[in-house]
Amino acid sequence: SLPQGSFCKESDYGSHPIVDVVLPAQCSSDLHLSRPRHSWRTIFDRDDAVLRKQCNDMTKELKWQIKPHLRESIDAEKSPAIRYPERYFIDINTHKEWYDSHGVEQYIIIVTRDENVAFNSRVKGHCRNVTIAEEEERLATNIINDAIYKYILEEDRARETDLRHIWDPPEYQNKDNAEMMAKKNEKLKRMNIFEQRLASQTNNSGRRKLGSLLEENVEALSSFMPSKNRVVLVSYESLMTLQAPYIKMLFKQLGIESDYMPTVKDGNAKYVPRLKEGDEIPMTKGQKRRTQNRMQKKKDRHSHFNTT
């Protein structure tokens, strides 16, 4: 899911952190709190020490300038796990490149949904601010398109994703200070951090030379756009969401060599009205239920106050 995490906030406007690599889950949990206290404690301590070292080594390699799990302690603040932003995007390209460099086999699954349905669902649920939801939608599409151009179309081109939003890991390790730091939206600083980190991980062209996602490019296209006996299955939702890269994949599947890019218009839009700025955003059943419960509790407290 792009983005991942909790609900959007007003402070997210114009500032959507992009995490370059999400490390294994063990680096995001307080190890000492997950271990039982008994006579075998020394065995678990030894395991914790190995995990702490591995997590530290990974953050050093990524130049995150943080030190997770510094020492054993029952106090989480003294032995902090890696903390990510409350709501963030993951950069598919850098995430995959880093794990590829460590020999980890990965499958990137891209699922598309009707654009307007997906947007309305996001606005009604996790981001009830239309402007911020639109920013998130554009960023998510750019990240997905970058992955398609690199790994499926295998084109060496400039990134669509605005990498000035790359996260600064130290900002988010102090819970009390994270929100204040996020509001500053230091775009220049984040861009400099990303450029330094990218330069340390890639060759001079700014892109690590990796093998193909699959051995044959045609296999990648076939899995994304099934075809047989000159019959090609095209996803309308994918076409509307991805547009140019999807059309290029279709051209390749059909053996068409052309730079022509047709104008794409969503014929479903008139049947699925898209929420706009100023529209009243309807509440979901869960939101209605929680609102009713809060109102009832408030009413009960008021009644109790009057009777006493």
Side-chain angles (χ1 to χ4, degrees):
S1 165
L2 292 174
Q4 300 187 49
S6 60
F7 301 92
C8 72
K9 305 186 293 293
E10 293 297 325
S11 59
D12 291 334
Y13 179 74
S15 176
H16 308 282
I18 302 172
V19 174
D20 51 348
V21 176
V22 174
L23 294 179
Q26 291 90 333
C27 296
S28 302
S29 61
D30 289 299
L31 302 176
H32 54 281
L33 297 179
S34 64
R35 301 301 191 185
R37 291 175 169 274
H38 49 50
S39 58
W40 292 359
R41 177 69 189 176
T42 53
I43 298 175
F44 291 109
D45 286 347
R46 200 158 52 241
D47 292 342
D48 282 358
V50 172
L51 289 172
R52 278 195 296 274
K53 184 179 186 307
Q54 290 174 340
C55 294
N56 270 317
D57 289 346
M58 286 186 279
T59 59
K60 285 179 183 177
E61 181 185 342
L62 288 163
K63 301 186 182 302
W64 281 1
Q65 299 179 345
I66 60 176
K67 294 183 178 180
H69 309 299
L70 292 177
R71 62 173 178 238
E72 298 162 16
S73 169
I74 59 171
D75 183 355
E77 292 304 317
K78 293 180 181 177
S79 181
I82 294 173
R83 295 190 178 97
Y84 298 98
E86 291 183 3
R87 187 173 177 83
Y88 67 89
F89 292 79
I90 181 169
D91 185 2
I92 297 173
N93 286 19
T94 54
H95 180 85
K96 177 170 167 48
E97 286 178 8
W98 190 80
Y99 277 99
D100 278 346
S101 71
H102 288 269
V104 178
E105 185 178 25
Q106 305 168 78
Y107 287 89
I108 305 298
I109 310 298
I110 299 175
V111 179
T112 55
R113 185 182 181 188
D114 179 88
E115 192 174 11
N116 292 334
V117 171
F119 181 81
N120 289 347
S121 174
R122 183 184 299 115
V123 170
K124 292 177 184 178
H126 288 88
C127 190
R128 296 177 66 82
N129 182 306
V130 172
T131 302
I132 294 175
E134 287 176 340
E135 289 181 345
E136 290 185 341
E137 182 183 56
R138 284 193 294 271
L139 181 53
T141 302
N142 288 342
I143 289 173
I144 292 171
N145 283 348
D146 281 341
I148 290 173
Y149 277 120
K150 183 173 181 64
Y151 296 111
I152 298 179
L153 292 172
E154 296 185 314
E155 291 186 9
D156 189 12
R157 64 195 303 268
R159 297 286 303 271
E160 291 185 8
T161 305
D162 185 352
L163 298 174
R164 287 174 295 177
H165 294 296
I166 202 73
W167 77 314
D168 185 12
E171 285 187 15
Y172 298 94
Q173 306 316 303
N174 184 335
K175 288 182 179 179
D176 298 330
N177 203 32
E179 187 171 352
M180 179 188 72
M181 294 297 289
K183 286 181 180 180
K184 290 184 178 180
N185 187 21
E186 299 176 351
K187 294 184 178 180
L188 252 179
K189 178 182 176 183
R190 286 178 180 164
M191 177 59 91
N192 291 336
I193 290 169
F194 176 81
E195 287 175 347
Q196 292 169 10
R197 195 178 305 151
L198 191 64
S200 69
Q201 297 175 11
T202 60
N203 56 24
N204 294 332
S205 68
R207 291 178 179 269
R208 184 184 286 111
K209 295 299 181 182
L210 298 174
S212 285
L213 177 63
L214 297 175
E215 290 184 5
E216 297 293 335
N217 192 42
V218 66
E219 291 181 11
L221 291 175
S222 297
S223 61
F224 202 90
M225 194 177 293
S227 67
K228 195 171 184 179
N229 297 324
R230 297 186 180 181
V231 176
V232 182
L233 180 62
V234 174
S235 165
Y236 187 80
E237 286 75 15
S238 297
L239 175 61
M240 291 299 104
T241 302
L242 305 175
Q243 299 194 12
Y246 196 80
I247 292 171
K248 284 192 174 185
M249 286 190 287
L250 180 58
F251 282 175
K252 280 199 172 186
Q253 192 72 282
L254 299 174
I256 298 174
E257 295 183 6
S258 174
D259 293 329
Y260 172 71
M261 193 54 57
T263 302
V264 177
K265 182 178 179 181
D266 188 359
N268 287 340
K270 58 185 176 184
Y271 304 108
V272 187
R274 184 186 178 99
L275 289 169
K276 304 182 297 298
E277 189 72 45
D279 287 351
E280 182 179 352
I281 301 174
M283 291 191 291
T284 63
K285 290 181 180 179
Q287 290 168 342
K288 287 180 181 178
R289 185 174 61 253
R290 288 191 292 272
T291 301
Q292 290 170 353
N293 290 340
R294 284 197 298 268
M295 294 295 291
Q296 186 61 47
K297 287 180 180 178
K298 186 176 180 181
K299 184 178 179 182
D300 292 344
R301 284 197 301 269
H302 184 70
S303 300
H304 177 73
F305 178 77
N306 287 338
T307 55
T308 55

